[in-house]
Amino acid sequence: MDMQIIDTIAQWAFALCLAYYGMTNLQWYNYSFKRVLFMHHKRSWHLYYFILPLVVYVGGFFVPSPWGDYILVSLSLVYFIALVIWAIKLDKRLNFTPRVVKFFVIFFIFMALNESLCYMLDIESGLLDLMPLIFASVISKIYENVLLNRYIVLAKEKLDIMSRLIIIGVTGSYGKTSMKNFLTQILKEKYRVYATPRSVNTHTGIVADINNNLDYTTEIYIAEAGARLKGDIALISEFINPHYAVIGEVGEQHLEYFKSLENIVETKFELLQSKRLKKAFVFKDNLKPQNLDNALAKKITYFPENVRNVEANLEGTSFELFIKNEWHRFDTMVLGQFNVVNLSAAIYMGVELGLRVEEIQKAVKRIEPIPHRLNKIQTNQKLIIDDGFNGNLKGMKEAIRLSSLYEGRKIIVTPGIVESTKEANIELAKAIDEVFDIAIITGELNARTLADNIHNTQKIIIKDKSMLEDMLKSCSQPHDLVLFSNDAPSYI
């Protein structure tokens, strides 16, 4: 084969690898270049899979032929193999959504145009083969912004048509997805309810959800609002203008993005900026923003106002709540003492929207545990507690407390707390040390902090989660309890 053709294939392969690596990272971080560049949890990957290959690639063009050609071809082959191995090991690989497919279509079009232009001008494509990557990124971003603006208009028009729709916004550092699901299951007793699916909680996600999934017969729409930066929830609140707002517990989650607890509090309270807000339910122990005006403060009801006789064990949870000048008992299959707070918010909202207490009691009793949030599974002669989606200190310590009630051997599988402080992980390690026989620490992020503060429990550190299944088979026994506490993806 002609060396020029080999060079061209190598250049295409190299540019494609860069595009794949870049798009994978962008998808993880909600297509934010800022977060990929400055807030990535494994920035060393940028060095190994982007910067070093790019430096060697560019340097190869300054080496005389044929050695420069050999460097280019060898680099492209090694880079391709390394990236394939990297992608195979990921537990969250690139999802070829319409947005991703459009990017690669644009990318290949520009690659073909670039090669055609270089051929007609009789020049070496060389470093010009990197230009399609830049053009595709810019044009794809512009196209997506234009598309998003059009989708926002359509979603707004749909909400305007549904003039009788009641909208509830839900946010908080912890438990917002649980509150959303509890609200849905309780309010279904009387209304046609639809809630944002899974953990869809961004402005763009809510816009797409309204356009694609919100049925015109829906009476109550429950939207979960998440944030990584100040202004994120204000954007959502301005868009959906909720009639009711629920703000769960606010803490130091995502502290690396917000820099201070005060910034987190102010961001969560942005949900109250709705122009048609009737009432807000706010967790009673939250800090209050300094700029909270009196008119808005009068719309806030704090929860749980009065709660007593809380019992939370591996069989379920029960508690009493003071409603309408009377104490009422609630029983649920849902595990975790902290869920009393989340359930109370949903109960108060149910009362606010006209449900009888007896209806709410029946609904609470029927509530099904939310997947990956203190799910109890009996399998292979072991008790599994799947708490993979619980990533805050308070919730993880409650899972540890529940595990301590089990009489047999106990194993915990955890990466620690992601997007939190070293002190929080030290506190978690001490709690683990008091309860578990074996601690399997996954990933590198908090491995040293956890290992240095776990002294009595046997420690096993695995950097590659693909080894986890074999490790559990080798160290677990029948009748063990296995707690999966938090489940950070491999890029964290």
Side-chain angles (χ1 to χ4, degrees), residues 109-375:
I109 288 173
F110 273 102
M111 284 292 289
L113 289 173
N114 179 66
E115 288 297 329
S116 301
L117 188 61
C118 289
Y119 178 78
M120 287 187 292
L121 297 176
D122 194 25
I123 60 174
E124 292 286 337
S125 57
L127 294 176
L128 293 174
D129 277 331
L130 297 179
M131 296 305 294
L133 182 59
I134 298 172
F135 289 147
S137 299
V138 172
I139 291 174
S140 178
K141 184 70 174 176
I142 294 171
Y143 176 79
E144 291 299 332
N145 286 340
V146 171
L147 208 59
L148 175 61
N149 289 334
R150 176 57 182 156
Y151 287 155
I152 289 172
V153 171
L154 291 174
K156 198 66 179 174
E157 289 175 351
K158 188 172 185 178
L159 292 180
D160 290 341
I161 291 171
M162 301 173 69
S163 58
R164 299 181 66 181
L165 179 71
I166 297 172
I167 299 177
I168 303 172
V170 180
T171 193
S173 298
Y174 324 120
K176 53 185 176 289
T177 302
S178 295
M179 284 192 296
K180 175 187 68 179
N181 283 279
F182 297 156
L183 274 167
T184 302
Q185 295 188 58
I186 288 173
L187 295 178
K188 275 184 177 178
E189 293 292 311
K190 185 174 180 178
Y191 300 97
R192 288 188 290 273
V193 183
Y194 175 74
T196 49
R198 302 176 300 281
S199 292
V200 171
N201 59 20
T202 63
H203 178 236
T204 54
I206 292 170
V207 168
D209 185 52
I210 290 171
N211 282 322
N212 299 328
N213 303 315
L214 182 61
D215 192 274
Y216 283 100
T217 62
T218 303
E219 295 174 301
I220 295 179
Y221 179 49
I222 304 171
E224 179 181 336
R228 285 292 189 275
L229 298 169
K230 288 186 72 173
D232 284 355
I233 292 180
L235 187 63
I236 294 171
S237 183
E238 182 183 353
F239 171 61
I240 62 173
N241 272 312
H243 301 84
Y244 297 94
V246 181
I247 301 178
E249 185 171 358
V250 177
E252 295 182 337
Q253 197 79 343
H254 309 311
L255 191 62
E256 63 187 77
Y257 299 130
F258 291 100
K259 307 305 180 186
S260 71
L261 180 58
E262 289 73 20
N263 287 338
I264 298 174
V265 171
E266 289 178 9
T267 302
K268 299 302 181 183
F269 273 76
E270 289 172 356
L271 189 63
L272 307 189
Q273 294 178 12
S274 169
K275 295 177 182 177
R276 57 185 181 188
L277 184 71
K278 294 181 179 179
K279 198 166 189 176
F281 295 90
V282 178
F283 178 57
K284 62 183 179 65
D285 294 335
N286 284 341
L287 291 176
K288 312 301 183 294
Q290 295 179 351
N291 58 353
L292 186 65
D293 62 63
N294 292 330
L296 203 54
K298 291 178 181 178
K299 296 182 179 181
I300 295 176
T301 295
Y302 294 97
F303 69 87
E305 291 174 320
N306 290 292
V307 63
R308 71 181 186 186
N309 296 333
V310 177
E311 295 181 17
N313 53 43
L314 288 170
E315 301 305 317
T317 307
S318 64
F319 58 96
E320 292 182 17
L321 206 59
F322 196 69
I323 304 171
K324 294 183 176 180
N325 301 317
E326 192 176 345
W327 288 98
H328 297 274
R329 178 183 172 90
F330 295 88
D331 300 285
T332 179
M333 296 180 290
V334 175
L335 301 183
Q337 189 168 337
F338 58 84
N339 272 319
V340 173
V341 172
N342 299 329
L343 283 164
S344 68
I347 291 167
Y348 287 151
M349 181 60 74
V351 173
E352 175 70 20
L353 292 177
L355 272 74
R356 292 182 293 108
V357 174
E358 295 78 11
E359 292 176 308
I360 298 173
Q361 286 173 320
K362 290 179 182 177
V364 169
K365 202 162 192 173
R366 290 197 298 265
I367 286 177
E368 297 179 1
I370 299 164
H372 312 298
R373 289 174 172 85
L374 282 177
N375 269 21

